[in-house]
Amino acid sequence: MAMFWQGYGWCSRTYRPLHGTDLLALTHLYQPIIGATSIGLYMTLYHQLPLHRAGVSTICSQSYLLKLLSLSSQQMLEARYLLEGVGLLNTFEKKDLKNGSYYEFELIPPLSPIKFFQSEVFSLTLYNLLGKDRYIELQKMFIQPDTVESIQVSKNITKSFQEIFGSLSPHEMRKAAEIQKDHFWSWDQDDEGLIDGRFPEWNHDDLSVIQRHLSNQIDPHVWTKELEAELKELCLLYQLEAEDLLKLLRDPTITGRGQIDMNRLRSFVKSEYQMRLSHSLKPKQAQPQPLGSTSMKQQVTKQSQKEPLTEEDRYFQQLGMLSPLELLSYYQGGAKIPDCDINLVESLIRDYGLPQGVVNVLLDYVLQKHDRKLPRSLVQKIAGHWKRLGITTIEQAKEQARKELRNSKRQAETKKKNQQSVVSFNKNKQQDRQKKGSPSSEPVVQMSDEELLKKQAQIRAKLTLMREQQKRIWEEEENTP
């Protein structure tokens, strides 16, 4: 939670003045949700601005704002958070040489009544606070359904500017060019997204809004922490917005009889992701976008652009901005990601509990080292090792990958040296044998025919004697009672 420093100054900014409809929306639609104190803070900040145009107020002290509101610093901070939560206020902490540190409160006009009621978050919240009858009255007050539906034929007979005032003369056109040259602001500075208000945003970690929307479809005991963990995993892995997840869960083929079919949901999300990914890459002729390309560099945050980064640091920073499946899509070159690889990525996140950035570093390390292959057993072995080491950040994963790469290179060099030593030893030994002759070979004895016959006679005599001795032994054994 951001601190509230009373020593800081403050100023307010807006992109357009408020209209009458804006004031009605603030009073009847926003005030029941955030309270009168927050609306009072909004109007106080607004009336510090120049009237009837966009602009920036002068920098005042925090104590002056607290006195205007008759609030304590804690009450003012809570009111500010409520305005930020419903999209009516942006807060920036700034610092310059002239004014030092100060807050800039950027006032955002409220949504138009039609867009307000189109927002499921706002409409559901207002319905629960006011009740059905008052909610319907407000809808009738701001939205008239019978405007022009009964008119069958209409013709636009409005006169144009040229029909009333005629064309501009060359002299007047030169004057227009001079006026444009004297402009002291840039049209590109306006944020069109802030002119008509902003829809509310919520964190993916908080699924309570989705749970309330599905309270009539899902049994309360079904919505468990384990279910929330699986849904968060799907949002993280397949880059789902909360609105997308809510739309999927409302599908009767996925949610029915108070239960959620997670297998069907996963299968549907996988196919939708593959289709979305293939469509997004078709205009580029299904070519993978290098991680160091210009379009990827544009995604680097403004904070990182202020500090010089090496190519390696920028590369790993981009790894942290992708989902694991987006990383695989770059290596696939726009083709379909194999189901076994998708299941492997899901296992790394669900079973091993590795953060998204760590998974990306692991996959990138294995793909580059093993010729774009993803051996499942090897990836899981490394994942288990990194989990035991307690690796939770990209920086830690990067250092561990470097360490393992150095070890593998050192082992490869040692193995190569050993093989060279064995080959050299065998080669030298063979050369020595060729020079000296084999030490195990015996000299061949040359014998005459007479000596050979004499030798054979001696051998036959010995064999005859051995047979006679064996015969006597058998006879003695037979005669023995």
Side-chain angles (χ1 to χ4, degrees):
M1 180 179 292
M3 296 297 293
F4 179 76
W5 301 106
Q6 296 188 18
Y8 284 22
W10 65 274
C11 68
S12 55
R13 172 195 292 272
T14 187
Y15 284 87
R16 69 163 175 82
L18 296 179
H19 306 315
T21 306
D22 297 329
L23 298 177
L24 287 174
L26 287 172
T27 304
H28 294 281
L29 303 180
Y30 284 89
Q31 186 168 275
I33 299 176
I34 61 177
T37 302
S38 298
I39 296 297
L41 172 60
Y42 184 91
M43 298 306 299
T44 301
L45 295 174
Y46 175 74
H47 285 100
Q48 306 300 313
L49 297 164
L51 296 177
H52 308 303
R53 67 176 177 86
V56 184
S57 70
T58 58
I59 297 179
C60 304
S61 64
Q62 294 285 355
S63 59
Y64 171 66
L65 181 59
L66 295 176
K67 290 177 181 178
L68 280 178
L69 296 167
S70 297
L71 298 175
S72 64
S73 58
Q74 182 62 32
Q75 291 173 329
M76 185 269 183
L77 192 62
E78 293 175 357
R80 192 194 94 189
Y81 288 158
L82 289 171
L83 290 174
E84 293 172 354
V86 297
L88 291 176
L89 184 69
N90 287 333
T91 304
F92 301 93
E93 187 176 335
K94 295 192 172 184
K95 184 177 182 180
D96 57 37
L97 296 177
K98 179 180 178 181
N99 302 299
S101 299
Y102 64 95
Y103 292 111
E104 181 181 271
F105 300 120
E106 184 181 69
L107 298 173
I108 303 172
L111 291 170
S112 65
I114 294 179
K115 289 185 177 180
F116 183 94
F117 285 108
Q118 288 175 347
S119 169
E120 294 183 345
V121 178
F122 279 152
S123 59
L124 180 62
T125 304
L126 189 65
Y127 182 90
N128 292 333
L129 289 171
L130 299 182
K132 179 180 179 180
D133 295 337
R134 183 55 185 161
Y135 178 82
I136 294 176
E137 290 179 4
L138 282 177
Q139 276 192 325
K140 293 179 179 179
M141 173 181 172
F142 286 102
I143 303 174
Q144 298 180 4
D146 300 326
T147 49
V148 293
E149 293 181 358
S150 59
I151 301 176
Q152 300 296 328
V153 180
S154 63
K155 180 181 179 181
N156 189 353
I157 59 173
T158 307
K159 297 294 184 180
S160 66
F161 179 89
Q162 185 175 1
E163 289 176 317
I164 304 301
F165 298 97
S167 303
L168 295 176
S169 65
H171 177 69
E172 291 172 328
M173 293 297 293
R174 286 194 296 270
K175 286 284 187 67
E178 294 176 2
I179 293 175
Q180 292 180 356
K181 185 186 299 184
D182 293 337
H183 279 167
F184 56 86
W185 73 89
S186 173
W187 294 102
D188 297 333
Q189 293 177 353
D190 290 341
D191 187 353
E192 295 180 357
L194 300 177
I195 294 178
D196 294 328
R198 186 179 65 187
F199 286 105
E201 301 174 356
W202 63 81
N203 196 332
H204 287 304
D205 293 338
D206 184 13
L207 299 179
S208 58
V209 176
I210 296 179
Q211 182 183 6
R212 286 198 298 270
H213 276 271
L214 299 173
S215 58
N216 295 331
Q217 297 177 255
I218 301 177
D219 294 337
H221 68 275
V222 173
W223 194 275
T224 60
K225 293 182 179 180
E226 291 76 12
L227 176 64
E228 285 194 5
E230 290 190 65
L231 295 177
K232 290 176 184 178
E233 174 197 325
L234 287 177
C235 291
L236 171 67
L237 188 58
Y238 296 100
Q239 301 296 292
L240 289 177
E241 297 293 338
E243 297 88 344
D244 300 330
L245 179 61
L246 179 60
K247 187 181 297 183
L248 288 172
L249 291 176
R250 282 178 167 172
D251 190 332
T253 62
I254 295 175
T255 303
R257 298 182 180 179
Q259 304 287 332
I260 297 178
D261 190 339
M262 289 302 300
N263 293 330
R264 187 183 294 272
L265 177 61
R266 285 183 180 277
S267 176
F268 189 80
V269 170
K270 284 181 185 179
S271 60
E272 284 292 317
Y273 182 84
Q274 293 275 20
M275 187 181 302
R276 187 169 71 245
L277 194 61
S278 62
H279 287 330
S280 64
L281 292 175
K282 278 181 180 179
K284 303 177 184 179
Q285 298 179 351
Q287 292 296 327
Q289 184 180 7
L291 291 177
S293 63
T294 304
S295 60
M296 285 297 297
K297 291 179 181 178
Q298 291 176 352
Q299 299 178 17
V300 180
T301 58
K302 294 181 179 180
Q303 182 178 1
S304 64
Q305 292 176 352
K306 296 179 181 178
E307 301 177 359
L309 296 175
T310 63
E311 289 296 325
E312 184 182 25
D313 292 336
R314 189 178 293 110
Y315 180 83
F316 281 99
Q317 187 178 46
Q318 292 164 359
L319 282 181
M321 297 163 57
L322 297 173
S323 73
L325 294 183
E326 285 177 324
L327 176 64
L328 291 181
S329 71
Y330 289 119
Y331 279 103
Q332 287 293 123
K336 178 182 177 181
I337 303 174
D339 292 337
C340 58
D341 290 347
I342 295 178
N343 295 333
L344 177 60
V345 171
E346 290 182 349
S347 174
L348 295 178
I349 295 177
R350 180 177 61 252
D351 301 333
Y352 293 89
L354 296 178
Q356 173 178 316
V358 176
V359 172
N360 284 343
V361 176
L362 192 158
L363 295 175
D364 188 66
Y365 163 68
V366 175
L367 286 167
Q368 293 195 27
K369 184 181 176 183
H370 295 275
D371 194 24
R372 302 302 191 265
K373 297 178 183 177
L374 274 181
R376 185 181 184 89
S377 58
L378 175 63
V379 173
Q380 291 178 335
K381 183 178 180 181
I382 297 176
H385 182 215
W386 287 15
K387 183 65 177 180
R388 291 189 295 272
L389 292 177
I391 295 177
T392 57
T393 64
I394 292 181
E395 189 65 28
Q396 293 173 337
K398 178 176 67 174
E399 293 300 324
Q400 184 61 28
R402 286 176 177 172
K403 182 179 177 181
E404 293 185 4
L405 190 60
R406 288 195 299 267
N407 291 339
S408 62
K409 287 183 178 179
R410 192 180 299 113
Q411 292 175 359
E413 292 175 355
T414 304
K415 184 177 180 181
K416 185 177 181 180
K417 289 181 180 178
N418 293 338
Q419 291 176 347
Q420 291 176 350
S421 300
V422 171
V423 171
S424 178
F425 175 78
N426 293 333
K427 185 177 181 180
N428 294 334
K429 188 176 180 180
Q430 184 177 6
Q431 290 176 353
D432 292 341
R433 285 181 177 179
Q434 292 176 354
K435 291 178 181 179
K436 299 180 181 180
S438 177
S440 59
S441 61
E442 296 180 357
V444 179
V445 179
Q446 299 293 331
M447 298 176 64
S448 62
D449 294 341
E450 184 179 353
E451 290 176 342
L452 181 60
L453 292 174
K454 185 178 180 180
K455 191 74 174 177
Q456 291 177 351
Q458 291 176 354
I459 292 174
R460 284 195 296 270
K462 288 182 180 180
L463 291 174
T464 302
L465 180 62
M466 288 175 60
R467 284 197 295 269
E468 291 177 353
Q469 290 177 350
Q470 184 66 32
K471 184 177 180 181
R472 285 196 298 270
I473 293 173
W474 288 344
E475 291 176 352
E476 290 177 356
E477 290 179 354
E478 290 178 356
N479 296 329
T480 301

